[in-house]
Amino acid sequence: MAKTGEKQAGGIAETIKTIFWALVIAGVFRTLFFQPFWIPSGSMKDTLLIGDFLFVNKMAYGYSRYSCPFALCPFEGRILESDPERGDVVVFRHPVNGSDFIKRLVGLPGDTVQMKQGVLYLNGAPVQVAPAGQFEEVYRQQGPMGYYPQCENAPVGEGGTCTKSRSVETLPNGASHSILNIRDGFFSDNTPLFTVPEGHYFFMGDNRDNSQDSRYAQANGGVGFVPAANLIGRADRVMFSSAGRSLFFVWTWRPDRFYKKVE
């Protein structure tokens, strides 16, 4: 009996060791290489949809204390730092509330940024914008949070077609991406002139009228200017996507978005 008990104790100890080392390896992988991220809101439509699952490339910009789970990395600033490029889709830590956000980088340190009549101006010049048809989706609850989409053609009944005007915006470095419009004349279409401080960045969502981003002050629930130390990584590719409120709803999976490059 004693030998049986010893074997059981040894088996339990081995299981605990296996779990421990698996967690250590997963923690190192998450800290140094790739962090999983779910898209919870529609602020980056149609580049990213609610229910997209991606891995964030944490090697892209180097490492800060926010690279570790719970911001536990024991250093200030960034190490192995690389500058992000205008147009990158970036995950960063909100400077005030501690949440992880994902937005598109449009303003670099020293840039001036302003929206005029729905057009983005960088350093006093409008960026190139070309019409690209409409983005359509079904008006129904989306994702685990059950958000309804906002529609340019509102009001729309449950199950109806929700549309938004889509354009392709090209930034000064040649990076192009889709942007959506829901309403005209909203605050998001006409902003004050912002000057991005050194060591900070200016972010916007591609769903321009449904995004809390750098156009809004942190005191009003927005993002404001984001310090370089708060950057976590670059979103490179959607690995999996589900339109349903549960992953178990296999019929709501979006196979056309699996391994889709983020542009």
Side-chain angles (χ1 to χ4, degrees):
M1 295 295 295
K3 289 184 177 180
T4 300
E6 289 175 1
K7 287 182 178 179
Q8 289 177 342
I12 293 173
E14 285 300 317
T15 300
I16 292 173
K17 286 170 59 178
T18 300
I19 293 174
F20 170 78
W21 286 113
L23 291 174
V24 169
I25 293 170
V28 171
F29 183 85
R30 184 184 186 278
T31 298
L32 296 180
F33 303 110
F34 297 97
Q35 176 179 326
F37 191 84
W38 282 98
I39 303 301
S41 74
S43 68
M44 282 295 294
K45 292 178 180 177
D46 64 342
T47 303
L48 297 171
L49 305 181
I50 294 176
D52 282 351
F53 175 79
L54 48 85
F55 282 104
V56 178
N57 182 352
K58 303 185 77 170
M59 300 173 283
Y61 310 131
Y63 305 94
S64 73
R65 67 189 184 98
Y66 297 110
S67 300
C68 293
F70 311 108
L72 292 178
C73 284
F75 51 82
E76 296 297 326
R78 301 194 73 84
I79 61 174
L80 303 177
E81 182 175 12
S82 295
D83 293 331
E85 296 184 8
R86 198 191 308 274
D88 284 357
V89 176
V90 180
V91 172
F92 57 88
R93 186 64 50 87
H94 191 287
V96 175
N97 67 27
S99 301
D100 288 346
F101 274 47
I102 184 165
K103 306 288 181 185
R104 189 176 299 277
L105 173 59
V106 298
L108 303 176
D111 282 348
T112 62
V113 183
Q114 189 173 20
M115 292 291 293
K116 298 181 182 179
Q117 301 298 315
V119 177
L120 173 63
Y121 282 69
L122 293 174
N123 300 315
V127 302
Q128 179 182 337
V129 180
Q134 287 190 323
F135 171 69
E136 297 184 352
E137 57 187 334
V138 178
Y139 186 75
R140 63 186 174 202
Q141 290 180 303
Q142 299 178 343
M145 302 300 292
Y147 294 127
Y148 279 96
Q150 296 188 32
C151 312
E152 189 176 21
N153 61 329
V156 177
E158 184 85 25
T161 301
C162 173
T163 65
K164 303 172 184 63
S165 297
R166 175 167 46 198
S167 301
V168 173
E169 181 178 82
T170 302
L171 301 176
N173 64 343
S176 295
H177 54 272
S178 295
I179 57 172
L180 302 181
N181 180 70
I182 299 172
R183 58 186 69 88
D184 296 324
F186 198 54
F187 169 81
S188 55
D189 289 335
N190 297 279
T191 71
L193 180 68
F194 300 99
T195 300
V196 185
E198 288 300 316
H200 291 73
Y201 296 95
F202 194 99
F203 290 92
M204 292 174 62
D206 292 346
N207 193 2
R208 290 289 165 82
D209 295 327
N210 187 25
S211 175
Q212 289 291 324
D213 49 40
S214 292
R215 292 170 291 177
Y216 299 86
Q218 295 166 5
N220 297 325
V223 170
F225 302 120
V226 177
N230 289 51
L231 305 188
I232 294 174
R234 184 181 65 219
D236 289 336
R237 193 172 294 273
V238 175
M239 303 303 295
F240 173 82
S241 185
S242 173
R245 301 191 67 180
S246 170
L247 286 180
F248 297 105
F249 298 168
V250 178
W251 57 92
T252 66
W253 291 3
R254 306 182 184 108
D256 60 313
R257 296 188 64 78
F258 292 5
Y259 311 114
K260 181 179 176 63
K261 185 177 181 181
V262 176
E263 296 179 317

